[in-house]
Amino acid sequence: MKALVLSGGAGTRLRPITHTSAKQLVPVANKPVLFYGLESLADAGITDVGMIVGDSAAEIEDAVGDGSKFGLQVTYIPQEEPLGLAHAVLIARDWLGDDDFVMYLGDNFIVGGITGLVEEFRRHRPDAQILLTRVADARSFGVAELDPSGQVIGLEEKPDDPKSDLALVGVYLFTPAIHEAARAIKPSWRGELEITHAIQHLIDSRADVRCTVIQGYWKDTGNVVDMLEVNRSVLEGVERRIDGDVDDRSETIGRVVVEEGARIVNSRIVGPAVIGAGTVVSDSYVGPFTSVAENCRITDSELEFSIVLRDSSIDGVGRIESSLIGRHVEVTPAPGVPSAHRLVLGDHSKVQIHS
């Protein structure tokens, strides 16, 4: 069984971070979100991975390499334009051959991995198996409609009026039957070959399409809010580890990781939190659910429920929370501006001003 990992796409919902970095490489708990998916594939016993890459191909290849550090063998498959998930299946046809495969969206995150799902698929080997999860607003997702017995009878892509609250999770399992279905469909109104349309073609052809409704944690990390939530979820599982230097005037509370080469000076770190290698935190407070990457400087500031990418500095700015701060960023106080009141008052006015 092979895996097809999608690592293209522009990442427009994470701009401006993704103007200079692939969205799949934005870190949660100081590790790129793509790496969690690759590790889950290896844990499921899948070693042969085809990676669909686009404009950020060089950055992805530099980060992943040949896949050996994950126990994988990675082949890169270029996609000139992001023309849909079914298009990715089409261009990978020669590499996939007649093997079954998992299609995994590289910016998705599933707590607990996919080992159980892969084992279930291998036992029953339906033509397609999809993952579903209940969401509050399904209009931004592919949506599944089930009959009373739980059988998939219909799929829609980002419908204005969803027929259910069951959204497709970005992990799909296929036999070679999907190839004919992908060739049979036409581009959607978005100009893309939708994988939901290809699976619907299988359903209409009376193929065996099954679903698994997952109860665990899943996020599409395509926007800042979800990225921060995934960071929070991962940090909840970290174990305390202090490999860097914490001086006598500092305090670390709870599940705090201070990587080797990091220094904590006259500061308070409350976990779960991760401080990357080479980072210096001085005269500051770093609160729960915060990841600070390597070689950063946090000085005379407060930081909580945030992600700070490598080589950035935050100096004397008071409190920052619920923030995603990119690489090589400098955050400093604004210059002082003299305060003044500008008034236009009518006749006989009475005004009280607190200076």
Side-chain angles (χ1 to χ4, degrees):
M1 193 171 188
K2 293 178 177 177
L4 190 64
V5 177
L6 276 63
S7 301
T12 54
R13 292 178 295 160
L14 272 176
R15 287 178 179 168
I17 299 293
T18 49
H19 280 308
T20 54
S21 179
K23 64 178 179 177
Q24 298 85 3
L25 296 180
V26 177
V28 292
N30 286 3
K31 182 165 67 176
V33 67
L34 173 62
F35 288 10
Y36 293 96
L38 294 177
E39 290 168 355
S40 71
L41 291 170
D43 290 342
I46 297 171
T47 57
D48 207 358
V49 173
M51 190 163 296
I52 302 292
V53 291
D55 292 342
S56 59
E59 189 180 12
I60 296 288
E61 291 185 34
D62 184 60
V64 176
D66 63 2
S68 57
K69 64 184 176 182
F70 304 99
L72 304 172
Q73 181 178 337
V74 173
T75 300
Y76 293 96
I77 303 169
Q79 185 183 35
E80 293 185 2
E81 294 182 73
L83 298 176
L85 304 188
H87 180 260
V89 173
L90 288 179
I91 65 174
R93 178 68 176 92
D94 290 343
W95 179 82
L96 288 167
D98 292 326
D99 292 315
D100 298 346
F101 66 98
V102 178
M103 185 165 73
Y104 197 114
L105 274 59
D107 59 351
N108 274 229
F109 183 88
I110 301 175
V111 169
I114 61 169
T115 299
L117 177 73
V118 171
E119 291 174 349
E120 180 184 355
F121 178 82
R122 283 174 165 155
R123 281 195 304 270
H124 302 289
R125 201 169 177 263
D127 295 300
Q129 187 162 343
I130 59 177
L131 265 69
L132 305 174
T133 192
R134 299 192 183 279
V135 296
D137 184 356
R139 291 175 296 178
S140 299
F141 302 95
V143 179
E145 181 183 5
L146 309 184
D147 68 14
S149 68
Q151 183 68 34
V152 184
I153 57 174
L155 297 174
E156 296 178 287
E157 186 64 33
K158 297 180 174 61
D160 291 331
D161 185 19
K163 295 180 180 178
S164 80
D165 61 350
L166 291 169
L168 276 78
V169 173
V171 178
Y172 310 78
L173 298 99
F174 297 117
T175 67
I178 192 63
H179 297 301
E180 180 182 350
R183 289 193 300 269
I185 63 173
K186 303 296 182 184
S188 68
W189 62 270
R190 300 194 302 166
E192 298 186 5
L193 291 172
E194 311 284 3
I195 198 65
T196 47
H197 293 177
I199 300 170
Q200 184 66 53
H201 182 83
L202 291 176
I203 295 170
D204 295 340
S205 303
R206 299 189 180 280
D208 186 6
V209 177
R210 302 188 185 186
C211 68
T212 300
V213 179
I214 63 171
Q215 306 298 329
Y217 188 86
W218 164 80
K219 281 290 183 183
D220 168 4
T221 60
N223 62 57
V224 173
V225 172
D226 286 342
M227 184 68 71
L228 292 173
E229 278 298 312
V230 170
N231 192 61
R232 178 195 60 76
S233 178
V234 174
L235 287 176
E236 284 181 337
V238 302
E239 298 294 332
R240 180 179 174 86
R241 178 167 51 85
I242 308 295
D243 294 334
D245 179 54
V246 179
D247 75 0
D248 293 339
R249 296 174 296 163
S250 298
E251 183 180 24
T252 60
I253 300 172
R255 299 191 303 278
V256 173
V257 174
V258 180
E259 298 286 1
E260 185 175 357
R263 292 193 298 122
I264 312 299
V265 180
N266 192 33
S267 296
R268 189 168 187 256
I269 316 295
V270 178
V274 177
I275 308 299
T279 287
V280 178
V281 180
S282 58
D283 302 306
S284 295
Y285 165 79
V286 176
F289 309 120
T290 300
S291 297
V292 182
E294 64 271 21
N295 300 320
C296 293
R297 297 291 181 270
I298 312 296
T299 306
D300 191 25
S301 301
E302 296 185 3
L303 186 64
E304 189 167 304
F305 193 60
S306 295
I307 298 172
V308 182
L309 276 57
R310 61 179 173 84
D311 300 302
S312 291
S313 65
I314 300 172
D315 187 354
V317 295
R319 185 174 179 84
I320 294 174
E321 61 182 30
S322 304
S323 299
L324 174 57
I325 296 172
R327 300 174 296 181
H328 300 280
V329 169
E330 295 182 4
V331 183
T332 57
V337 178
S339 61
H341 302 286
R342 183 181 180 186
L343 307 174
V344 177
L345 302 174
D347 297 345
H348 309 292
S349 296
K350 292 183 179 180
V351 177
Q352 292 182 324
I353 294 178
H354 178 72
S355 299

